[in-house]
Amino acid sequence: MPPAPLRADAARNRERVLAAARAAVIAGDASLPLNEIARRAGVGVGTVYRHFPTRQALLEAVTDEPLALLLAEVRAAAADPDPGGGFARLVRAAGRIEIDNVGFAEVLTGDDPAAAATAAKRAELIAVAERVLERARAAGVVRADVTAGDVQRLVCGIGHAARLGGADPHERAELYTELLLAGLRP
Amino acid sequence: MPPAPLRADAARNRERVLAAARAAVIAGDASLPLNEIARRAGVGVGTVYRHFPTRQALLEAVTDEPLALLLAEVRAAAADPDPGGGFARLVRAAGRIEIDNVGFAEVLTGDDPAAAATAAKRAELIAVAERVLERARAAGVVRADVTAGDVQRLVCGIGHAARLGGADPHERAELYTELLLAGLRP
Amino acid sequence: MPPAPLRADAARNRERVLAAARAAVIAGDASLPLNEIARRAGVGVGTVYRHFPTRQALLEAVTDEPLALLLAEVRAAAADPDPGGGFARLVRAAGRIEIDNVGFAEVLTGDDPAAAATAAKRAELIAVAERVLERARAAGVVRADVTAGDVQRLVCGIGHAARLGGADPHERAELYTELLLAGLRP
Amino acid sequence: MPPAPLRADAARNRERVLAAARAAVIAGDASLPLNEIARRAGVGVGTVYRHFPTRQALLEAVTDEPLALLLAEVRAAAADPDPGGGFARLVRAAGRIEIDNVGFAEVLTGDDPAAAATAAKRAELIAVAERVLERARAAGVVRADVTAGDVQRLVCGIGHAARLGGADPHERAELYTELLLAGLRP
DNA sequence: TATGAATGAGAGTTCATTCAT
DNA sequence: CATGAATGAACTCTCATTCAT
């Protein structure tokens, strides 16, 4: 049975909470104290808990959009006739998305997701990324001793590193991504 | 005046606290709640506060040894006749030490240290590392668009990445370090 | 906007906390450790903090009733056609109220109150008392070299003195008040 | 057996502690945290505890000199041929001494002193003051319904009141003392 | 369903007092 | 005797989570 459609006001509240959480995440704060989120959303704490029983659930909801985005990029990468170009595209997209969404890494590399939808997206993401990597490896443009998991972790590490320097991490993230791509070549 | 030699019991307690903190850090938890540390060290809270007035002070104490170790490595790297070899040595040592000490990155890249000794070590560390990088750059074995700060951050990122995969991060850290070194070449 | 009416349970809890605090104050202890108050009120600490964020706020709440009472008395004193009688009434009322409320002096003579309501009452109290004193002075029934502040302090001093003797301070307070009134005559 | 004469260094330390405590008391702080006193005296906490096992003992030691002073004044008051003048002298002296020694009131009106010497001085003080008051009462210059204890408490109250106004309490104390004397007349 | 009050565990911090050195 | 390290209770304050309204 499909999830019962939310009542209009419930949906509005859910959206408000999501917006507040998204804003926090974009501002670089992934701690998401639910009390605070509720306050910013202009909603009672209980309402937050109703829609998102755990911090993890909220995080997944917030990350759903960037996750879908990345999935699209990975599919595009898999469709790229150039294995090396596809792989680079994947890494660059992951880097960009990761840097703009604190907490994204957590969803991607953490424990099994709470929501089935997230789990599914993540699984497909990994499967397709695996294929992209495989192809690049076969084409001899990526080291053979690196797994898809490694790439995933390295992208997260890159994001982490870029965020360390204060101020605007985007430029750093770009540079670090290029370094990573260079390092991944055989 | 040399730091007054601690009384035997004071030294023992200090060591116990340090050991508890070190254990926590090695277990991957750098939050170091002072109350909890006290409990684990079998010591009153007040004792922890006497020796380490702030979490930062405790963290610096815990990190003092690895910091000294890294400093020695960096000096050795500076003394290496081979600029590229020296640089690689520096990066590898940093990676190894970073992976074994959660919180090390915090001391290295965070706000100004509380303890003068830590500040001094850190300053020298950075200065010497800068020279090592400079020399490697001049020898044409490292990209010119990368600063010492970038290297520092990247090592932290590598450590972060290696820790993401669960279980034993050492092997991963080694691989990632080699990737980083490769990526840093022009 | 009027202060939002408290929910029934919230009001009940607030009242319990106030009662516990009042009991402590009447028992002569104005230190009001908030967690102890919570315990005695049979309420979580957080609840105390919700209603009274600081010790000062709680003290003001406890003192609110006697403050209102005194204010009424002072107004009545100002309305008394006999300047001397009005002034005596003021002093006697202040003495009586002060002796029954440890901490009242603190609110009356201490730093600026936290709550606007308290500040307003206090300000009016002082202003009206000033008028009462002025009138008594003009009528030649009170020394000219005594300010309203002096009277306030002296009443507090009287209360302090009465409390020193142990047991029931009321009788003493009455006597001391009469002495004070006699001493204040030209 | 007379108290064993202190060793020279012990006596010096005792004096240092006393000086620190006296300074604190004169500065208007009678809380005397023994830790802090020790620090200011340049002495270990233990030393303070050895010489003055309780806060009360320290307080009595600090107050010993003013107590002796007041005793002398009271004796002089008793010797004054003018009963009213003698009584006034007593009250004025008490007021002056009380205002300069926070904590003096505590020793005078508090529980039984810890030290025998203090107890003796206090007992004599009270006895002589009682005689002074009696004489003044017999001469009809002081109200009959006031006890020596009342006078003692009132002087403390006066001191308390004078201290409430901030800044220099001496002038206020003088005024309040005159008010008290006036109020005590029949 | 939504609300937000209540809860209470837990972190941080201070300080009087004891006791090993 | 002197020292000052150690102790731990007491207190303030915060926040995730529950639950009465």
Side-chain angles (χ1 to χ4, degrees):
Chain A
M1 143 181 108
L6 283 178
R7 252 168 49 181
D9 56 343
R12 193 175 52 245
N13 278 334
R14 187 177 194 282
E15 208 38 61
R16 277 196 201 166
V17 172
L18 261 184
R22 223 177 267 132
V25 157
I26 286 173
D29 181 6
S31 63
L32 294 185
L34 297 198
N35 262 322
E36 182 58 16
I37 296 292
R39 208 186 49 73
R40 291 198 206 156
V43 139
V45 222
T47 305
V48 176
Y49 273 86
R50 164 168 302 271
H51 291 297
F52 309 101
T54 66
R55 193 181 149 281
Q56 174 72 11
L58 178 54
L59 191 57
E60 287 179 21
V62 164
T63 330
D64 189 61
E65 198 183 297
L67 184 57
L69 196 66
L70 181 54
L71 185 51
E73 288 281 359
V74 178
R75 283 187 192 130
D80 193 316
D82 169 17
F87 180 72
R89 172 175 197 161
L90 181 161
V91 171
R92 290 197 184 103
R96 230 176 314 115
I97 289 171
E98 146 71 18
I99 203 68
D100 281 330
N101 295 275
V102 193
F104 188 67
E106 204 175 328
V107 174
L108 218 56
T109 66
D111 293 340
D112 282 343
T118 308
K121 281 208 192 73
R122 194 170 102 163
E124 187 188 346
L125 181 67
I126 290 173
V128 179
E130 207 107 42
R131 282 213 315 274
V132 173
L133 173 63
E134 198 59 54
R135 215 170 42 125
R137 207 149 42 194
V141 294
V142 166
R143 293 174 62 133
D145 56 356
V146 161
T147 70
D150 287 327
V151 175
Q152 198 177 58
R153 283 188 283 273
L154 283 163
V155 169
C156 293
I158 283 327
H160 185 81
R163 256 181 238 109
L164 281 178
D168 183 49
H170 288 89
E171 211 172 327
R172 274 194 300 276
E174 236 167 273
L175 170 60
Y176 298 175
T177 304
E178 294 313 313
L179 289 179
L180 175 59
L181 281 170
L184 285 169
R185 279 191 273 275
Chain B
M1 128 185 120
L6 280 180
R7 247 169 50 182
D9 57 343
R12 192 175 53 244
N13 277 331
R14 188 177 194 281
E15 210 36 62
R16 275 197 204 166
V17 171
L18 262 183
R22 223 178 265 131
V25 156
I26 286 172
D29 181 7
S31 65
L32 296 186
L34 298 197
N35 265 325
E36 181 59 16
I37 295 291
R39 207 185 51 71
R40 290 197 207 155
V43 137
V45 221
T47 304
V48 176
Y49 271 86
R50 166 174 294 272
H51 291 296
F52 310 102
T54 66
R55 189 185 152 279
Q56 175 73 9
L58 179 53
L59 190 56
E60 287 179 22
V62 163
T63 337
D64 188 62
E65 195 182 297
L67 184 56
L69 198 67
L70 181 53
L71 185 49
E73 289 282 0
V74 176
R75 283 190 192 127
D80 193 316
D82 170 17
F87 179 73
R89 173 175 196 162
L90 180 161
V91 171
R92 290 196 183 104
R96 229 177 314 115
I97 289 171
E98 148 71 18
I99 202 65
D100 280 329
N101 297 275
V102 194
F104 188 66
E106 200 176 331
V107 173
L108 217 56
T109 66
D111 292 340
D112 281 343
T118 308
K121 283 208 191 75
R122 192 171 105 164
E124 188 188 345
L125 182 67
I126 290 172
V128 180
E130 206 109 40
R131 283 212 315 273
V132 173
L133 172 63
E134 197 57 53
R135 214 168 45 123
R137 206 146 47 189
V141 294
V142 166
R143 294 175 60 134
D145 57 354
V146 162
T147 70
D150 286 326
V151 175
Q152 199 178 55
R153 283 187 284 273
L154 284 163
V155 169
C156 293
I158 283 323
H160 184 83
R163 253 180 243 112
L164 282 177
D168 182 48
H170 287 90
E171 211 173 329
R172 273 194 300 278
E174 236 167 274
L175 170 60
Y176 297 175
T177 304
E178 294 313 314
L179 289 179
L180 175 58
L181 281 170
L184 285 170
R185 280 191 273 276
Chain C
M1 128 185 120
L6 282 180
R7 248 168 53 182
D9 58 342
R12 193 175 51 246
N13 278 330
R14 187 175 194 281
E15 208 38 61
R16 274 196 204 169
V17 172
L18 262 184
R22 224 177 266 131
V25 156
I26 285 173
D29 181 6
S31 65
L32 297 184
L34 296 197
N35 56 354
E36 179 61 14
I37 295 291
R39 208 187 49 74
R40 290 198 206 155
V43 138
V45 221
T47 304
V48 176
Y49 273 86
R50 166 174 293 272
H51 291 296
F52 310 101
T54 65
R55 189 185 153 279
Q56 174 72 9
L58 179 53
L59 189 57
E60 287 180 21
V62 163
T63 332
D64 188 61
E65 197 182 296
L67 185 57
L69 198 66
L70 181 54
L71 185 51
E73 289 281 359
V74 176
R75 281 187 193 130
D80 193 317
D82 169 18
F87 179 73
R89 172 173 198 162
L90 181 161
V91 171
R92 290 196 183 105
R96 228 177 315 117
I97 289 170
E98 147 70 19
I99 202 66
D100 280 330
N101 297 275
V102 195
F104 188 66
E106 199 177 330
V107 172
L108 217 54
T109 66
D111 291 340
D112 281 343
T118 308
K121 281 207 192 75
R122 194 172 103 164
E124 188 188 345
L125 181 68
I126 290 172
V128 179
E130 206 107 41
R131 282 213 314 275
V132 172
L133 173 62
E134 197 57 54
R135 216 170 42 123
R137 205 146 47 190
V141 294
V142 166
R143 291 175 61 134
D145 56 355
V146 161
T147 71
D150 286 327
V151 174
Q152 199 178 56
R153 284 187 283 273
L154 283 164
V155 169
C156 293
I158 281 327
H160 185 81
R163 253 181 243 110
L164 282 177
D168 182 49
H170 288 89
E171 212 172 327
R172 273 193 301 277
E174 235 168 272
L175 171 60
Y176 297 175
T177 304
E178 294 313 313
L179 288 179
L180 174 59
L181 281 170
L184 285 170
R185 278 190 273 276
Chain D
M1 151 179 98
L6 284 178
R7 252 170 46 185
D9 56 342
R12 193 174 54 244
N13 277 335
R14 187 175 194 283
E15 208 37 60
R16 276 197 203 168
V17 172
L18 261 184
R22 222 176 266 133
V25 157
I26 286 174
D29 182 6
S31 63
L32 295 185
L34 297 198
N35 261 321
E36 182 60 15
I37 295 291
R39 206 186 50 72
R40 292 198 207 156
V43 139
V45 223
T47 305
V48 176
Y49 273 86
R50 164 167 303 273
H51 290 297
F52 310 101
T54 65
R55 193 182 150 280
Q56 174 72 10
L58 178 54
L59 191 57
E60 287 179 22
V62 164
T63 331
D64 189 61
E65 196 182 298
L67 184 57
L69 198 66
L70 181 55
L71 186 50
E73 288 281 359
V74 177
R75 282 188 193 131
D80 193 316
D82 170 15
F87 179 71
R89 174 175 196 161
L90 181 159
V91 171
R92 289 197 183 103
R96 230 177 313 114
I97 289 172
E98 146 71 16
I99 202 68
D100 280 329
N101 295 275
V102 194
F104 188 65
E106 204 174 315
V107 173
L108 218 56
T109 65
D111 292 340
D112 282 342
T118 308
K121 283 209 191 72
R122 192 171 104 164
E124 187 188 346
L125 182 67
I126 290 172
V128 180
E130 206 107 40
R131 282 213 316 274
V132 173
L133 173 62
E134 197 58 53
R135 215 170 42 124
R137 206 148 45 192
V141 294
V142 166
R143 293 175 62 133
D145 55 356
V146 162
T147 70
D150 287 327
V151 174
Q152 199 177 58
R153 284 188 283 273
L154 283 163
V155 168
C156 293
I158 282 326
H160 184 81
R163 255 181 239 110
L164 281 177
D168 182 47
H170 288 90
E171 210 172 328
R172 272 193 301 277
E174 235 168 90
L175 171 60
Y176 297 175
T177 303
E178 294 314 312
L179 288 178
L180 174 58
L181 281 170
L184 285 170
R185 279 191 273 275

